[in-house]
Amino acid sequence: MLACLWMAPCRAEAWTDGRSGDWWMLALSGVLLLAVLHEQGLLKRWGQALQLARQRSLSLNLQRAMAPAEAAALPAPDLFDDPELPAQPAFKPAAPAQALKRAASVFEHCGEGMFVADAQWRIQEVNTALCALTGCVREELLGRAPELLSVALREEVMRLGKWSGEIIERHKSGVLIPLWATVVRVPAATPEAEPEYVAVLADISRIKKSEAALKHQALHDPLTGLPNLALLRDRIERQITVAQREHTCVAVLYVDLDSFRDINDSAGHAAGDEVLKIAAARFQDVVRASDSVARVGSDEFVVVLCGLVDEESAMRLGERLIEAMQAPIQIGEARFNIGASIGLALFPADGITVDDLLRNADAAMCRAKVQARCTVQAYRPELTRAVQQRVELTHAMRQALEEGQFYLHYQPQVRLSDGRLIGAEALLRWQHPTRGNISPVEFIPLAESSGLIVPLGRWVLHEACLQATRWLGAPGQPQIVAVNVSARQMLQPDFVQMVEATLTATGCPPQALELEVTESMFLDDADKAIHLLTQLTSRGVRVAIDDFGTGYSSLSYLKRMPVQTLKIDRSFVRDLPGDGNVAAIARTVIALARTLRLDVLAEGVETEAQAAWLRDEGCDWAQGYFYGKAQAPELFAL
């Protein structure tokens, strides 16, 4: 309001003198005043004062309505008299000449480029900032139509009166500069005059660079610079659209680096990062410029091919990607040999959506890692069915653990010399409400891979220890209960403490518990495994190596292992005594156990001939259908 009061004399003088062309200077001076007032906080203070004045006026009107005589005697309120506001000097509008001079100074020194054009869009005036933006001198711009404003844009300004948006200006040197433009049409001051146009142009180059950097960070892997999963999905979606229109294919190759975790564990994550960068560069060197390479996981990449591609050509590219990783990678003084396993899925044969292609290529890659590493495996529908079954079974297993669908049966373990019962092995069983009994061969590997083996194994240990406590001291009942423990369970940091807590909670003495571990536990870190088992045996818990002879344990580690029993795998017992090679292996294991002063137990004994041969060779214990199948504890009997 004050700005209007200040500008009123100037506008009146301009109109009376016929200088309608100076309107924009008057407008600028008003804008300048508002900006100054805003910067000093005066606008906010005056707003508060006006609000207070309204309240005081309403209060005064009420007083007058209630008591006219008393209200008439009250002095009139000062609308701008607020004791909380500092006293302000009396405002005096600037003289018209001074206002025009101030507006001209603002126009000239404004940081944004500005120009004024007449009704025919011929530039009448420019400021110094606009000359800097365009690289042109003032004389080169005056009288010309602004090329940066298209005809359609000008028509919109004439129709709507204002337009704001982003435009591109070409500098005299040829460099393109992004600008944010605001163009306003100002009506003519008099009927005889014509409207004019004012434009303000701000350079947004730095803003655009910041936006581009943020967008790049959001869509690219910070380590390798490759597209990330979000950008990859967008590119696959685009390629699918093109393939549908042109009746071509899209190939998705899911690449996983083999043994990458070993590099991180042995050389550190810095070396692992360098390996990933080198792998990314090698993959990019193999593919065409039109193809895409993206990093979608820790050591997982996806390559997308488009155009005239089929399964055979995609398989050949996958083989070249594998060959690219065959050369050793040198990181400092260390050399790493790393391979790649690849799964392939094609659009539209193997999927018509991005999710379908990525999921199916991943399933094919998993098969490549299981069956034959450093190969390319094409997707087949049965892989999806297998994955769906694993997902369904995993979900059912979680539910079974919560609802108590698991139970334990126990198989007798006898002493061969006299046939006396000495122990029992706890065997996990699953009774599904609709599928019936599910074989451990089916669900135990899935429990291992999904991590459910940890809570499931904890439940098994607790139930087995409870049963051992019930049998303890009872005649004709096992006095030792054997429980299978996976490597994943034993690698839990609190495993020893969990075993101790279970023994205490169930009242089971340590010597009544035997933990059966496999040789695979010693493959990754034998020293750690030996230390862990030593903690258990020092507390009185027995330890047995299950399926001995089927793994890869070193004899040098075997003599250090704190174990009491070796269990001969059933594969070495099944063909006894007729198969001479099998007999030789079983005889060797028995002799080794005697040398190391360990007990030896044979699994899978089903006939009298097998039992007799093992007894004659000095085997200590045996278990199998010949002595009894696994059965419920309440029915347990030899």
Side-chain angles (χ1 to χ4, degrees):
M1 179 182 72
L2 292 179
C4 296
L5 294 174
W6 178 38
M7 292 171 59
C10 302
R11 290 180 59 88
E13 182 179 346
W15 289 338
T16 55
D17 292 348
R19 294 180 295 172
S20 60
D22 292 338
W23 63 268
W24 53 271
M25 290 191 178
L26 303 177
L28 283 174
S29 61
V31 172
L32 176 64
L33 177 60
L34 289 174
V36 171
L37 295 177
H38 177 71
E39 181 70 22
Q40 296 181 355
L42 295 179
L43 285 179
K44 181 178 180 181
R45 296 176 186 175
W46 285 343
Q48 295 173 347
L50 288 174
Q51 184 177 5
L52 182 62
R54 293 191 190 98
Q55 296 174 353
R56 290 181 177 178
S57 176
L58 177 61
S59 176
L60 181 60
N61 289 336
L62 290 174
Q63 292 177 8
R64 288 174 177 174
M66 295 174 61
E70 293 82 359
L74 294 174
D78 187 352
L79 296 182
F80 294 94
D81 182 19
D82 186 353
E84 297 182 0
L85 294 175
Q88 299 295 329
F91 175 75
K92 294 181 180 180
Q98 182 181 2
L100 291 175
K101 182 178 180 181
R102 184 180 300 165
S105 177
V106 170
F107 178 79
E108 180 62 24
H109 294 92
C110 182
E112 284 73 33
M114 302 180 66
F115 70 80
V116 180
D118 60 16
Q120 288 73 41
W121 288 94
R122 292 171 299 192
I123 296 178
Q124 301 296 306
E125 189 58 68
V126 298
N127 67 350
T128 303
L130 185 65
C131 294
L133 281 177
T134 60
C136 300
V137 297
R138 183 172 180 272
E139 288 72 18
E140 292 177 311
L141 298 175
L142 295 180
R144 295 171 50 188
E147 297 178 359
L148 73 168
L149 302 181
S150 64
V151 175
L153 191 152
R154 299 176 197 174
E155 292 176 352
E156 184 173 353
V157 175
M158 289 186 289
R159 179 169 53 88
L160 300 178
K162 183 179 180 181
W163 179 87
S164 293
E166 186 178 330
I167 59 175
I168 300 296
E169 168 66 0
R170 184 179 295 276
H171 191 271
K172 192 174 182 179
S173 64
V175 178
L176 297 178
I177 304 175
L179 302 173
W180 184 263
T182 300
V183 187
V184 180
R185 177 177 61 83
V186 180
T190 63
E192 298 79 12
E194 293 182 321
E196 293 181 321
Y197 302 92
V198 176
V200 180
L201 309 173
D203 185 355
I204 57 174
S205 299
R206 295 175 62 182
I207 296 177
K208 299 296 288 184
K209 289 180 180 178
S210 298
E211 289 178 351
L214 291 174
K215 184 177 181 180
H216 186 274
Q217 293 176 6
L219 298 177
H220 290 79
D221 172 44
L223 178 64
T224 62
L226 295 176
N228 61 12
L229 181 58
L231 181 54
L232 173 73
R233 293 178 62 88
D234 180 73
R235 290 187 177 181
I236 296 177
E237 190 70 49
R238 292 173 183 269
Q239 294 300 335
I240 289 176
T241 302
V242 174
Q244 289 173 331
R245 183 175 63 248
E246 300 180 357
H247 303 287
T248 56
C249 293
V250 179
V252 176
L253 293 98
Y254 210 109
V255 185
D256 183 89
L257 300 182
D258 298 327
S259 305
F260 176 75
R261 183 178 298 178
D262 295 339
I263 296 176
N264 276 339
D265 294 341
S266 62
H269 288 277
D273 290 346
E274 293 300 319
V275 169
L276 291 174
K277 292 178 185 178
I278 294 174
R282 291 185 180 182
F283 292 154
Q284 286 180 299
D285 290 340
V286 172
V287 303
R288 303 170 300 181
S290 59
D291 301 328
S292 297
V293 181
R295 183 184 176 213
V296 298
S298 174
D299 58 342
E300 296 177 341
F301 299 81
V302 171
V303 178
V304 180
L305 312 179
C306 56
L308 299 176
V309 62
D310 54 18
E311 182 173 304
E312 183 179 355
S313 60
M315 293 283 282
R316 286 198 300 268
L317 175 67
E319 291 170 356
R320 292 200 299 271
L321 293 171
I322 294 173
E323 292 174 358
M325 294 305 300
Q326 289 180 351
I329 296 178
Q330 187 79 32
I331 305 295
E333 298 180 357
R335 287 168 61 90
F336 302 105
N337 292 298
I338 190 168
S341 298
I342 302 178
L344 167 64
L346 288 174
F347 169 88
D350 301 327
I352 59 175
T353 66
V354 176
D355 289 333
D356 290 341
L357 292 173
L358 289 174
R359 180 181 63 250
N360 295 340
D362 185 22
M365 181 272 293
C366 292
R367 184 173 68 171
K369 293 186 74 70
V370 171
Q371 292 188 352
R373 292 194 173 193
C374 293
T375 61
V376 185
Q377 295 288 330
Y379 170 76
R380 296 293 179 263
E382 56 268 20
L383 293 177
T384 298
R385 289 193 293 270
V387 171
Q388 290 175 345
Q389 291 173 359
R390 287 198 299 270
V391 172
E392 293 173 358
L393 194 59
T394 301
H395 175 73
M397 200 183 312
R398 295 182 188 276
Q399 189 174 6
L401 191 58
E402 296 174 357
E403 297 179 358
Q405 298 174 14
F406 291 105
Y407 61 94
L408 294 182
H409 275 181
Y410 298 86
Q411 187 171 37
Q413 296 175 334
V414 301
R415 189 161 54 198
L416 284 170
S417 60
D418 57 8
R420 182 180 176 184
L421 177 68
I422 51 90
E425 180 180 3
L427 299 174
L428 183 62
R429 298 292 183 262
W430 181 8
Q431 177 70 32
H432 192 272
T434 58
R435 297 177 57 178
N437 281 315
I438 299 178
S439 171
V441 177
E442 185 177 356
F443 70 81
I444 290 296
L446 186 57
E448 288 273 5
S449 61
S450 65
L452 284 174
I453 195 66
V454 175
L456 190 56
R458 188 181 302 116
W459 178 86
V460 169
L461 181 65
H462 184 271
E463 292 299 310
C465 287
L466 275 179
Q467 188 58 50
T469 303
R470 300 187 187 105
W471 280 334
L472 196 62
Q477 298 296 337
Q479 300 302 295
I480 298 176
V481 173
V483 178
N484 289 278
V485 180
S486 74
R488 189 160 187 171
Q489 288 177 263
M490 297 192 70
L491 291 177
Q492 299 299 308
D494 62 340
F495 179 75
V496 175
Q497 291 76 13
M498 186 272 293
V499 172
E500 288 183 323
T502 302
L503 293 173
T504 301
T506 59
C508 178
Q511 62 271 17
L513 174 65
E514 181 174 77
L515 299 180
E516 296 187 2
V517 300
T518 60
E519 293 175 272
S520 61
M521 178 183 173
F522 301 92
L523 293 179
D524 295 332
D525 192 341
D527 291 331
K528 181 177 180 180
I530 291 172
H531 175 70
L532 182 63
L533 296 179
T534 301
Q535 294 184 65
L536 293 170
T537 56
S538 65
R539 290 163 170 79
V541 177
R542 294 177 57 88
V543 176
I545 297 183
D546 195 15
D547 303 334
F548 185 78
T550 61
Y552 307 93
S553 61
S554 169
L555 295 180
S556 63
Y557 286 124
L558 182 59
K559 67 181 183 180
R560 296 171 50 199
M561 294 177 187
V563 299
Q564 289 76 41
T565 306
L566 295 184
K567 296 187 70 174
I568 304 176
D569 186 66
R570 65 183 65 248
S571 62
F572 301 129
V573 176
R574 183 173 53 246
D575 297 327
L576 290 176
D579 192 317
N581 292 329
V582 172
I585 295 174
R587 190 178 291 113
T588 301
V589 174
I590 295 172
L592 177 64
R594 287 191 175 199
T595 303
L596 297 175
R597 297 181 181 179
L598 302 177
D599 295 324
V600 59
L601 183 149
E603 296 181 299
V605 179
E606 299 180 357
T607 66
E608 172 62 34
Q610 293 171 345
W613 187 93
L614 291 166
R615 183 170 52 249
D616 293 341
E617 292 295 330
C619 182
D620 299 302
W621 300 342
Q623 72 180 81
Y625 287 175
F626 180 70
Y627 298 102
K629 295 183 178 181
Q631 51 193 313
E634 60 272 14
L635 303 176
F636 189 86
L638 184 60

